[in-house]
Amino acid sequence: TTMNIITGYLQATSGSVKVNGHDIEDEPDLVKNSIGYLPEIPPLYTDMRVKEYLTFVAELKRVKKSERKQMVQEIIQMIGLQDVENRLIQHLSKGYKQRVGLAGAIMGYPELIILDEPTAGLDPKQRTILRKLTENLGKSKIVIVSTHIISDIESIADEILMLRSGILIAHGSVDTLVA
């Protein structure tokens, strides 16, 4: 629920959300343009090819036409989709579908990336790949990850915030809270 409120999919019943000083209620477009969101089940168009889909996402995110082709190729390389860029999404494994969803989330290079259960249901190899991608994104972006998998948290997080019913119940370093 909190992630859906931050991204503007749901309206808060109380409180407020600001991203880079912009309130989601007052400036929803500014906030939404600065966020990349990967829901637990990525909303992919499975009858499209990977590169075609990412080009479509770039258009939706209003990436300048002159920059679109290069950005799509950069993100394909960054996420490791070169081997499948011309395949139909419906023929990809769950792990590759998650990667395509992540590529779509980072299209346009948003300042804040929100990932909801990004490794749920993945095999160990794909889980490791997604963790590494998330860790690398965290070097230059703010990445919020929602997960119930402690090993994911230990491998990628610097800081943990634990929420219950939208209320902060714990906040600290990974080592402190895992202990």
Side-chain angles (χ1 to χ4, degrees), residues 100-117:
V100 173
L102 179 60
I106 66 172
M107 190 61 65
Y109 302 125
E111 300 155 44
L112 172 62
I113 300 165
I114 300 175
L115 309 175
D116 187 5
E117 300 284 352

Side-chain angles (χ1 to χ4, degrees), residues 15-33:
S16 64
V17 173
K18 289 186 180 184
V19 176
N20 286 338
H22 301 286
D23 190 292
I24 188 73
E25 291 291 318
D26 299 333
E27 302 171 287
D29 290 339
L30 267 175
V31 173
K32 289 177 185 180
N33 288 338

Side-chain angles (χ1 to χ4, degrees), residues 38-42 94-95 98 115-123 126-127 130-131 145-149 152:
L38 176 63
E40 185 172 353
I41 300 170
K94 180 168 174 46
Q98 282 295 98
L115 309 175
D116 187 5
E117 300 284 352
T119 63
L122 298 182
D123 64 52
Q126 289 289 356
R127 177 178 255 119
L130 257 295
R131 283 180 185 165
V145 179
S146 170
T147 185
H148 297 90
I149 304 168
D152 284 353

Side-chain angles (χ1 to χ4, degrees), residues 38-137:
L38 176 63
E40 185 172 353
I41 300 170
L44 304 173
Y45 291 103
T46 59
D47 59 337
M48 295 177 90
R49 298 186 187 282
V50 171
K51 191 174 189 176
E52 176 186 20
Y53 171 75
L54 294 175
T55 302
F56 172 69
V57 171
E59 289 175 38
L60 289 177
K61 291 192 171 187
R62 298 184 180 122
V63 173
K64 291 180 185 174
K65 194 171 186 175
S66 61
E67 298 172 7
R68 218 175 275 160
K69 189 174 181 179
Q70 179 180 341
M71 186 178 294
V72 167
Q73 272 315 124
E74 284 173 5
I75 290 175
I76 284 172
Q77 295 289 319
M78 182 189 313
I79 303 299
L81 294 169
Q82 316 78 293
D83 295 342
V84 298
E85 69 180 90
N86 294 310
R87 289 183 59 195
L88 287 172
I89 294 171
Q90 66 188 346
H91 297 304
L92 299 178
S93 67
K94 180 168 174 46
Y96 271 113
K97 287 177 182 173
Q98 282 295 98
R99 285 202 244 175
V100 173
L102 179 60
I106 66 172
M107 190 61 65
Y109 302 125
E111 300 155 44
L112 172 62
I113 300 165
I114 300 175
L115 309 175
D116 187 5
E117 300 284 352
T119 63
L122 298 182
D123 64 52
K125 181 181 178 186
Q126 289 289 356
R127 177 178 255 119
T128 300
I129 290 168
L130 257 295
R131 283 180 185 165
K132 189 67 177 164
L133 288 169
T134 303
E135 184 181 340
N136 287 339
L137 286 170

